[in-house]
Structure formats: C-alpha cells, structure tokens
Amino acid sequence: MKLTQGIHVMHLFYRINRVVWAQAGPSTAAARSRLEALCASYSHPSAPRISTFVNVGGKADLAFMLLAAELDQLAQMHREIEDAFPAGALEKVYSYLSVTELSEYMSSEEDHRKQLIEREKLVPDSPEFTARMEDARKKMAEYAHYRLHPELPDWDVMCFYPMNKRRAGADNWYSLDFEMRKKLMGGHARVGRKYAGRVSQLITGSTGLDDWEWGVTLVAQQLDPIKEIVYEMRFDEVSARYGEFGEFYVNIRCAPAAAWKHLRL
Amino acid sequence: MKLTQGIHVMHLFYRINRVVWAQAGPSTAAARSRLEALCASYSHPSAPRISTFVNVGGKADLAFMLLAAELDQLAQMHREIEDAFPAGALEKVYSYLSVTELSEYMSSEEDHRKQLIEREKLVPDSPEFTARMEDARKKMAEYAHYRLHPELPDWDVMCFYPMNKRRAGADNWYSLDFEMRKKLMGGHARVGRKYAGRVSQLITGSTGLDDWEWGVTLVAQQLDPIKEIVYEMRFDEVSARYGEFGEFYVNIRCAPAAAWKHLRL
Amino acid sequence: MKLTQGIHVMHLFYRINRVVWAQAGPSTAAARSRLEALCASYSHPSAPRISTFVNVGGKADLAFMLLAAELDQLAQMHREIEDAFPAGALEKVYSYLSVTELSEYMSSEEDHRKQLIEREKLVPDSPEFTARMEDARKKMAEYAHYRLHPELPDWDVMCFYPMNKRRAGADNWYSLDFEMRKKLMGGHARVGRKYAGRVSQLITGSTGLDDWEWGVTLVAQQLDPIKEIVYEMRFDEVSARYGEFGEFYVNIRCAPAAAWKHLRL
Amino acid sequence: MKLTQGIHVMHLFYRINRVVWAQAGPSTAAARSRLEALCASYSHPSAPRISTFVNVGGKADLAFMLLAAELDQLAQMHREIEDAFPAGALEKVYSYLSVTELSEYMSSEEDHRKQLIEREKLVPDSPEFTARMEDARKKMAEYAHYRLHPELPDWDVMCFYPMNKRRAGADNWYSLDFEMRKKLMGGHARVGRKYAGRVSQLITGSTGLDDWEWGVTLVAQQLDPIKEIVYEMRFDEVSARYGEFGEFYVNIRCAPAAAWKHLRL
Amino acid sequence: MKLTQGIHVMHLFYRINRVVWAQAGPSTAAARSRLEALCASYSHPSAPRISTFVNVGGKADLAFMLLAAELDQLAQMHREIEDAFPAGALEKVYSYLSVTELSEYMSSEEDHRKQLIEREKLVPDSPEFTARMEDARKKMAEYAHYRLHPELPDWDVMCFYPMNKRRAGADNWYSLDFEMRKKLMGGHARVGRKYAGRVSQLITGSTGLDDWEWGVTLVAQQLDPIKEIVYEMRFDEVSARYGEFGEFYVNIRCAPAAAWKHLRL
C-alpha cells in the first residue's frame, strides 16, 4: 500500500487519563520503556519515523507525528503507540491523516526558462543560461524531494492545523482558473520565504482522506514567528478570501523520557 | 420490509473500549469467534453481507459495511455485531444508513439513440444502429444492476463520506432544472470514469434516512487515487458550487482474524 | 395544563447502556414487565399513548413517541419510562417536544367556495354547490381533527426529523407575505398527497418549545417511500429555498416484548 | 459586587445521575431537606430568590432560576444548590448568566409628551395634559422597576431561551441607527402586549457575560401561548431579519418536594 | 523559548470532579497546600504569575490566568497546577493560549507629531512642541510596556473571551487596507478609553496559536461595566461588521484558600 509518490503522515494528539495511569502502578514503567523503544525503532530522518511532543495550552498532553511509506505500516505505528500504554490511559483528542504531495503551483521548468529570458534578458542556450537552468532544475528537484520526503528541522516548537480552500458564494477557490490560482499561491509563497530560517513549513494533502483539505505543520525555535507568519499570511488574498482554518495545536519537541517528566507522570 | 428496488446499506465505525476488553478476559475469545462466524454467515457477494475493516487515521478502530435486502435483516445484522462483543467493548463513533438507488441522471435509451444518430451519424434501425443500441441497453442494465446490487472489488483501501447538494443563496442545486442538473452530473461522471480500474465508487441515497443526502463509498488499492479523485472532482462545478461534504473515514480491508491482530487486541 | 386545542407530543431516542443492563441481573426482568405494562396502560388510539420503536442505523436503540392531552401527564409518562429501567441503563440520545396544531395554510371555506365557483363553474347555492360545500366542510373538519388528534397507521417504518423555515438573506420565509407563503405551501401539500396510502405524515409545532420550529413524523410500510417523499419535496421551492432540516431518525415499529428480542437484551 | 442598577440572574438546568443517586442511599434524604431549606431561605419575591422547576421534553431533569443583588451572593446560591446534592448526582446540562436591565428603547418622557400633543391634541401644561403626564411617569417608573426587580407570576409553565441580534451582511442590527432600532422594537413590543395576562416575559441582558446577548424567560399557564407568542414574533421584522435563537428549555414550576416526586427520585 | 518581545499567557477553566474529590480524602488537604504554595511561588506582578479565580454562571468551577516569559515555563506552570490536584479531580472545560503583543494600530510618533502641528497648531521644534512630544513618547512607551508586560488591577470581576476579525463576503477585515483598519480601530479605542478606571482590558494575540485570533481579558469591580463596554463596542463598526466572538467566561478573583471555601470543597 505505497503511494505512487510521497509518504503517509499522521498527527495524533492525546490526553493521558491520570486516574488510569495512577492505578496502573508498575505497568507504567513498562509503558515508558515501550514508547521509548518504539520511537527509537522509528527514527529514520524521513520515514518510518515517530516524533514526540508535549502539547502546550491545555488541549492535549502528548502529541505524535508519524511518517511512513506504507499505509499499513503507518496504521501499525499508530497501533503500537496505543498498545504501549496501559489500556485506557491514552484518550484521543484529535488525529489527522494526510500524505506528502507536490504542489501543482510549484514553479515549472517553463517558468524558470521564461524568467531567465524575459526578466533577466539571458540568451537562450547561452552558457550562462544553460548553467542557470541547470541550477534551477537542481533546486526544483531538491524542493520536490523535500515536499515528498520531508525532514523538518528538530526545533523546539511545532504547530499543527488543518485548512480548506473556501467553496462558497463569490469566494470560491475551486471556481477560479489555474492561472489565477497559481498567481495567488505565488504571493502566498513569497510570504513563506520571508520566514526562511525562522519557520519551516510542511503542507500535506488530505482531500478525501480527512475532514480538511490540507494539514499544515510549522516548526520554529520560539513561538512568535509561528504567530507572525500565520498572521501575515491572513492578509494575503489566498487566506483573506479563500482560507478556512481548523483547530491549532501548539507543541514542544520532547523525547519520550523528557515528556514523562514534563507531564509529571 | 424490502425496497421496491435495491438494497439497504449501513456503515458502522466503532472504537474498542480497551479497558472493558482487557477486563473481559476469556470472553474475548468467544467474541472473536462470534464475529468471525457472523462475517462468514453474511458473505454473499452482494447481500446479505458484512464486510470488515480497520480504520486508519485515529478516528475509529473497527469499521463494518452491511448490505441487506430487508430492512429488519439489516437491523438484525447490526445488532448481531454489537452482541458479538462483551457489553461496553464497542463504542459507536459514527454510523450511516442509506439504500442503493438508480441515479435519475443516468443515460437513458433516448440519450443513446440521439448520440448514435447525431454524433455518430448512424442510420436509425440500420443493422449497426440496432446492434449498437442492443449493446447500450445491455450496458445500461449492467450498470443499473451494479448500482442496485453492488459488488465492490475487494481492494485494500475503503473510504466513506456522506455528502449533500447545497441549497443556499445563488448555489441552490434544488432550484436548478433537470436538464442543467443532468448536464452538470455528466461532467462529474466523466471525471469518475477517468479513474476506472483505480477507484471503484458506490453512491447510495439517504435523503430522509440519515443526516446527509448521499453516502459515498470509494475502494482502491492504495491511498493516492482516493485523494486524487476527490480533489479533481472538487474543481468540477457540481462539487465546486454544490457539494457539501461530511466526515471522511479511511479504512483498510481486513478479515476479522487479521483485525484483532492489527488492533493488538 | 391542557392546550386550547390539540395535544402534546414527545419523541424520545435512547441508547441502552449494556454494561449497566448486564450488571442489573434479575432486575431487568422487572424492567421488561414495567415497560410492557406502561405501554399497555397508555394505548389510547390518540392520547394518552406511548408507541415504541427500535431505531435503525446506529444512532440509538429504543425510540418512543408519546401523546398526551395534559402537559404534566406527558411529563409523567416520560418519567415513568425512565423509571421503568434500572438506574443508568437508559442514556438519552435525542428528544423532541412539540404540540399538534392546525396549519394556517390549510384550505379555508372561502378557498373551497372560490374553487367551486371559479374553477368548476358551479352556481352558488345551487343544490350541487351546497352538497359539494357540505362535503368540503366535512373533509376540512376531518383533516383538522386528524391534525389535532392524530392516529397514525401502525406501519412498520417511522422516521422523525425536526425542521425550520429559513430566516436569512434573500431566503427569508418570515419576510414573505401570507399569500405567498400559502401558495408555496400549497405546492408542498400537492407533493404530500401523491404519497397518500404509502406515507402518512404528521407535522407538529415546536416554535418556542424546542430547538426547531416543527417536528415531522413519517410512517410507511417500507423505507423507500420515506426517501422518495423527502427527496421529491426538496425540489419544491418551500424546501429548496426555505427548508432547514435537523437529524433524521429511522425506526421500526416494535412492541416492547419484541424490542428486547430485537436488541438482544 | 452590586450592580449600579438591577440584579443578577442565573438559569441552571441539571440532569440527575440516577446511578449516583441510587447509590447515595440515606444521604438522599439529607439532600432533599437541604434543597428544600435552601429554597425556603431564598424566597424573597424578587431577590435573593431561588425558583425550582422540572424540565419537560427530555433535555434536563431539574431547573433553577436564581436572582440576587450581589454577584458573589448569586455565585454562592449556585454553589449551595450543587452542595445540597450528593457528589456527582447533579450533572450540568446548561447554564446562563445575565442581569436585569432597562431597555434603551423604552418610551421616554419625551415620547409621551409628543404623543399627548401630536396624537391626542392635548394643550401642553393644561390640567389634563399634566395629569396624563403624571400617569405616564408613574407607569414608566413601574415598568422600569419591573424590569430591574422582576416578580414573575408563579404560573405553571416557564420557557427559557437565549438570543442575539444578527450582525451579518445586509441584516446587521448593530449597523442600524437608534431611531430605526427603536421603531423596530416598538413593533415587537406591540406583539408582546397582545399576550398580556397570558404570557409574562422577562428580558435580561448578557452581552459580555454569557454566549448570547439576551436571555428570555417566559411564563404562562399552559404551553400554547408560549408557542404562539414566539411564533408570531418570528414574523416581526426584528425577529425575521435580526433574531438569532439558542436552545429552548420548557419547564414546569414545581416546589422541591413535588420535584422529587415528579422525577421519581 | 522566550519571545522576541512580550510574554506568554494561558487561561485555564476547570471543573472539579466532586466524586473524585470526595473520595480523595486526606490527599485533598495536600492538594490545597500545593496549589496555595504554587500561587505564592508564581506571584510576580507581571510574570511568572498565576492568578486564581472562581467561575460564575455554571460553566466552570476554577479559573487560572498564567503569565510567563518562557514558553516551557508557562507549560510547566500549567502542569504544576494539574499535578497539585488528585488524579482526575480537575476536568478541563476550556483553555486558551496567547501572547502579549503591541498593536500595529497604536499611535506612532508620526501620529503625535501631526496632531500637535495640524490640530493644535504648535510650531515644530518649539519648546512647547518638544515638551509635548517628550510627553507623548513617554506615554507611548508606558502603553507599550503595559501591553507587553501587563499588570492588571486586582479587581473582583474578570471576564475572558476570544475573538476573530471576520473574513467573509463584503465584511472581510483582512481585505481592508492598513489606513482603513487603523481608522476603524481608533474609533474602537475611543470607546475603550471611556471606561478608563472602570474596566481594564488586555488584548493578547493568538493567531496561529489557538482557535481564535485574539484573547480579551477584562477586569472590573462589578459586573455591569463589563456588559456595558462589550455592548457599546458592538455598535462600533469594527465589532458590528468585523467582530466574531467565542465563549464568555465570567470569574471572581479569589485566592486559593477562599476558592475552596467558595466552592464548598
């Protein structure tokens, strides 16, 4: 059950039932070891991988981000997490299923060619043109690889939220033609690039898979660039007129051993 | 309590209460056998049939799709599933009641006749025309039979979601005339046919029976064609302007014995 | 606490807590008897009456429809049902309070008079005219009596849902004048009459009493006419532009003794 | 923590957990006495006052309406009710916090003066004019006192619901000027006056205090005038275009001793 | 995990599970001491600080407002509160994560300069102008410090609610240009200043952090100015056309020792 390209992604947010945990007594030590072993065994930089977090703000206790090439492996990793805990100790707060994907609005080879000729006035097939095109091709391939096989920086703060493009009245994204959508997404991407080095973002697709059309995972080293990028993008026409957002989950990156301590379990 | 034509359909999504399951001890072995026997006894290719799945993505554990000619038999099959489990072990997450139905927008004999004469320039009642009409009639009958007595391919991935046609402001499906609706649905069907062999879909009717107007069951061999077909259809005017979607449930086909193993029960 | 005209109606949908039921042991036998006795004692064709159903489709287990002339009697019947069960065995899923009412859009004597004169060209006060008016008056009285003191046929399938008339933007029912509303409701009623003998419907009023403005109770001998009438009415302008619908509950008519068996309790 | 004018109001709707109640054994007798004593001690015609009700229709079991001049006294009365019951026996269904208030749209002295001069053609400062103005002032003072220190008639049926004025698109109440709002509210009040003697209403303000802008408490001697007044007002432009309504709770007035009996506790 | 400027804020609303509390016996005394010690140790006028409240109106029992410079410290303070209570005694009702922030619509030095020259006709760089500018700079700095490091007055009543600016149809805040937004916010601020000394407000930012864009914390000495300011602002165009509001939580300031007494624990 592999995808034609890309990998499967699951975000899981749980609350610990502290009554069950308190009653589980010595079996909680086994739970700790099991979860630590599990995360160690799924620690490929890309996939299969389980990353652990503690949630901040009161919505949940523990958060997990799972990456797997095979759908059944992803499903198994999820079940292994649940099975690591004493029965009833893990109460689901929110979950999200998506897959990595290329964006149809990414710059194409044709876009780069045009830009070199029209904006930079390079002569087609001149040595400089050829070198610049080679460069562009390399960057496109790197970006495509990042979108399909992401390795997010291991920064302290992770924020997840799902989103839709609006389909209502005069603000119907799905009634716009491709050129208009590509142009609008270009402005959106420019805002994103301003935050390079401060916020790393991963957009995964979930139309037909979960209740929103995309999942957004942002990582940063502190909380304010998360707020700033989401706030600034809200004025961008893509978000202002077409963006619909689900719940926001803010989390701190935290290995399992530290998570127990953080949660005072 | 048979329908005039077609059969009854129920989709059921459950979570296993793992505390109850853990406490049920030896009675869980009986539960396993009961569910396996139940699925064996309802294994007609069409109806009566119970198909079992494990849910992927965190919303549920087990999923069932039930087909029955009689409403009371459908109701009994549902109760037999619940009764197979120890009391309290099965917690309902979501359920959906619908019936198979013909679409009023399906091609009619008249549509085929017109097409042969106007587009293909065949002479009415010529031998070729007659043969082609015979062929069309056969295909229509096959399609009608599939819609009313579906036998979905036993592929790995099943996705279920309910949907409505919008009735609001300028985007009111129910205020369009029949010809416009038929034309719009025709475009929609063309997208569906592009996925033949990769995605098999079953549309069942539920206006007046459950909280949305239709249930959609998609099966595929991997996850991406599910995402692609739903995403591509979203740009189709029928979905872009008139489609409203409920929750999406993604599931892996899994016989009961394998489901216990998958769920680590 | 009688109404000036008509009677009180309550629809109740419950889930059985099977853990409590299983633990209740011999006291469940008493519960069975109590509920059977209760339904026997409230079995007037109109009111006071308790009708019992099993729910189909996964939303609930047991359903009740209560009719009473006095509000406090209705309240008592509800409490007697709850009291018949072991504490905690009955978990409320949904409930609805309404009253029977005449529709302000029903044909008036004036409507009939006009129709006989203008459409049927009868001479006012001629013997035929007088006989026809007498007939009309009798039918109006019968219909009014049915609306206020309903005796639904004891058919197998019952569907309940609540509804509103929309009050938003250009589709504001409550901003239309009476003549327009009466005309629109007339078209709606014509659809209803097409289903005479296949679907029997009862519209009860709940503005100010519960969270929607009307409750709709449909009974039929099989499931498809329920779907057909609700679907066909959705194209009617009254529903297409002004109808807002709540949750749909489909139920099978079932005396208490049969309900236990059906639910495998 | 007194208000500058008026008093604090709390509506509370609870379900009794019958399992807890059944297990509480002899301590339920103490609970009964405590609640009865509590209601006796808070029985001022206006405030401090606790009125008790049983809910009808399935949403709740017990309902309370609390009135207090001091906010901390109101809070204490609420805690005393909860404390009267065995731990866990009282499960909150819904609650609402508001304060009594004068309406900014009430007739002013200037309105009365104008009416006497312009409509009734009285000579300003003539003896009749002076007497009539004195009369109007008295009535205004009485009405203002009723709004701020309400003493509702002790009738059998009480209905509570919260409401908003719409702030959306073309139907934005808060964008209308004061004169237009006053005119619209005048029409609304005229409908209310038609029900004098049959329905007594209390409008309390909750903007900034709870999730809706006003709470509406209606009392009547039977259920139909409640339905009629809310239905008739829905056609009034204020409700048709600007009214948004929350959940409706219908209750029967019932002293604590009778409530136990009614609820079969 | 410090912010570039400002501090982190968490609002927490809990219900006490009285069954768990009653069963916890002597360990509740330890819980009391732990919470009291915790609040004593986090009692900086600004941050780190935990302020405690009892909720009024039925939505919750206890409320906390947390302020911390470091995100992980804020998270730890939250976990320390939960850990102070017996397992299961504290049930989350609502929580909110935000950060203090400067408003982009605050008066700038340029705004003050313009006002002195254009409205007050002062000569630029004259001694009076220079003194007045110095004054303005000082006030701006004080206000900025208050926004980023708030010390709310310790008044009796605290109200919290989250809000959004609307992004829909013709009322799309995020499609307005900066000048228009600044002008609209200026009118809003003028209403706020009318309540100086009666209501103190703190606006914190949460776009990308929680489910609404801002959190609003109002404190006052009694309930009515809370209602008045929110009601008056609703007519302001910013709120009338662009404001969307979440749930409102009204609370009384209460040290832990008094909270136990208030809650009758």
Side-chain angles (χ1 to χ4, degrees), chain A residues 79, chain B residues 12-16 35 52-55 60-64 85 90 251 259-260 263 265:
Chain A
R79 300 304 176 185
Chain B
L12 293 166
F13 302 89
Y14 292 103
R15 187 174 300 284
I16 300 290
L35 188 66
T52 55
F53 306 86
V54 290
N55 180 262
D61 290 337
L62 279 171
F64 299 95
F85 284 77
L90 218 47
N251 314 279
W260 310 121
L263 295 171
L265 291 176

Side-chain angles (χ1 to χ4, degrees), chain E residues 209-237:
Chain E
L209 311 186
D210 213 317
D211 301 339
W212 298 79
E213 297 164 349
W214 287 276
V216 181
T217 307
L218 304 176
V219 298
Q221 282 153 305
Q222 55 193 72
L223 200 52
D224 35 359
I226 301 275
K227 192 189 78 154
E228 280 166 36
I229 191 173
V230 179
Y231 183 68
E232 182 169 351
M233 281 192 173
R234 206 145 287 186
F235 289 98
D236 191 90
E237 195 177 346

Side-chain angles (χ1 to χ4, degrees), chain E residues 189-219:
Chain E
R190 265 190 298 280
V191 175
R193 280 194 297 270
K194 281 176 50 182
Y195 287 83
R198 295 175 65 214
V199 177
S200 194
Q201 57 179 316
L202 173 68
I203 313 296
T204 48
S206 51
T207 306
L209 311 186
D210 213 317
D211 301 339
W212 298 79
E213 297 164 349
W214 287 276
V216 181
T217 307
L218 304 176
V219 298

Side-chain angles (χ1 to χ4, degrees), chain D residues 31-144:
Chain D
R32 289 165 203 260
S33 311
R34 272 195 301 268
L35 188 66
E36 285 162 38
L38 198 55
C39 295
S41 78
Y42 294 118
S43 58
H44 187 280
S46 168
R49 179 177 185 84
I50 296 177
S51 303
T52 56
F53 306 85
V54 290
N55 180 263
V56 187
K59 290 180 174 172
D61 291 338
L62 278 170
F64 299 94
M65 183 176 174
L66 283 59
L67 301 165
E70 301 268 358
L71 179 62
D72 38 3
Q73 186 181 31
L74 187 85
Q76 271 308 302
M77 287 158 65
H78 165 212
R79 300 304 176 183
E80 284 178 85
I81 290 172
E82 294 196 340
D83 194 41
F85 284 78
L90 216 48
E91 296 175 346
K92 198 199 78 159
V93 170
Y94 192 65
S95 63
Y96 206 79
L97 176 67
S98 59
V99 296
T100 61
E101 63 175 15
L102 298 181
S103 166
E104 63 201 286
Y105 311 115
M106 284 161 51
S107 300
S108 64
E109 195 164 325
E110 191 48 36
D111 291 334
H112 284 283
R113 170 179 294 274
K114 245 193 196 157
Q115 194 175 325
L116 292 181
I117 297 171
E118 291 174 16
R119 290 215 205 141
E120 308 206 17
K121 309 294 175 197
L122 294 191
V123 179
D125 303 316
S126 65
E128 192 189 345
F129 177 92
T130 306
R132 291 287 297 280
M133 276 305 294
E134 194 50 39
D135 211 52
R137 262 181 226 110
K138 212 176 125 195
K139 274 186 187 151
M140 287 188 292
E142 276 169 16
Y143 181 63

Side-chain angles (χ1 to χ4, degrees), chain C residues 57-78:
Chain C
K59 289 179 175 172
D61 290 338
L62 279 171
F64 299 95
M65 183 176 174
L66 284 59
L67 301 165
E70 301 268 358
L71 180 62
D72 39 2
Q73 186 180 31
L74 187 84
Q76 270 308 303
M77 286 158 65
H78 165 212

Side-chain angles (χ1 to χ4, degrees), chain C residues 4 79 101 104 167 172 211, chain D residues 59 61 224 227 231 239:
Chain C
T4 304
R79 300 305 176 183
E101 63 175 14
E104 62 201 286
R167 285 181 305 110
N172 194 323
D211 301 340
Chain D
K59 290 180 174 172
D61 291 338
D224 36 359
K227 192 189 78 153
Y231 183 69
S239 295

Side-chain angles (χ1 to χ4, degrees), chain C residues 27 32 51 165 175 219 227:
Chain C
S27 78
R32 289 165 203 262
S51 304
K165 290 283 192 278
S175 295
V219 299
K227 192 190 78 155

Side-chain angles (χ1 to χ4, degrees), chain C residues 147-159:
Chain C
R147 293 276 310 214
L148 294 175
H149 301 280
E151 296 179 28
L152 286 166
D154 208 18
W155 289 341
D156 278 338
V157 182
M158 184 271 273
C159 170

